[in-house]
Amino acid sequence: GLASAGIHANGLTLARRIVFDVLELGPDAELPGTGRTVAEELLEPTRIYVRPVLRLLAEVDVHAMAHITGGGLPGNIPRVLPDGCRAVLRRSTWRVPRVFEALREAGRVAETEMFRTFNMGVGYVVIVPAAAAERATAVLTAAGETVWSIGEIVAGERGVEIVA
């Protein structure tokens, strides 16, 4: 999993509703718990992963990739999985940016809905053979990315399971 820069373009409708309607904040107000203004959080540019991923493709056997857009991890990863494969993601393996926790708390949004709406800190997923994971991490890190080994592909019904 490659780190996102924040919300990206995922779930902005829900984020705006929480920030402006529930919290009743303006663009220059600090979004609680983030140390940043509402404008800084909501307008943080989407990371572009092209150059690091092209480097990776030149050096590692990549089986699949998913840009985590609307639908979050559960909505995007299954599209690149063949029948009979399931992704098991370990939530404890990556850092969820504080903006998502602030939105969850203020909007009283269930965690399953948060994962379905937002990228939760993972903006891009690359699926490689287990034996290539260390090399993939090294290549992407050298290209300036923050990278986590977030899970594995197992036999099962196509989908995503998020575990502690």
Side-chain angles (χ1 to χ4, degrees), residues 13-100:
T13 299
L14 177 58
R16 284 192 314 264
R17 189 185 73 67
I18 293 169
V19 169
F20 299 123
D21 298 344
V22 175
L23 292 172
E24 298 180 338
L25 298 175
D28 295 326
E30 182 178 322
L31 184 60
T34 66
R36 298 180 72 196
T37 67
V38 166
E40 288 170 328
E41 286 294 351
L42 298 186
L43 297 175
E44 181 70 39
T46 299
R47 288 188 59 81
I48 305 299
Y49 301 98
V50 173
R51 290 183 208 276
V53 169
L54 286 173
R55 258 191 225 170
L56 179 69
L57 290 169
E59 297 190 39
V60 176
D61 178 26
V62 174
H63 286 191
M65 298 179 286
H67 191 207
I68 308 306
T69 58
L73 294 159
N76 288 280
I77 294 174
R79 290 190 266 182
V80 301
L81 296 176
D83 286 336
C85 289
R86 175 174 200 74
V88 177
L89 307 181
R90 292 180 309 282
R91 166 57 197 86
S92 62
T93 58
W94 76 89
R95 186 186 68 76
V96 175
R98 181 68 183 121
V99 63
F100 297 113

Side-chain angles (χ1 to χ4, degrees), residues 6 25 27 32 49-51 76 78 96 98-99 101 103 105 111 115 123 126 139-140 158:
L25 298 175
Y49 301 98
V50 173
R51 290 183 208 276
N76 288 280
V96 175
R98 181 68 183 121
V99 63
E101 186 58 25
L103 293 171
E105 289 172 6
E111 186 170 70
F115 273 97
V126 179
V139 169
L140 291 165
R158 185 184 311 166

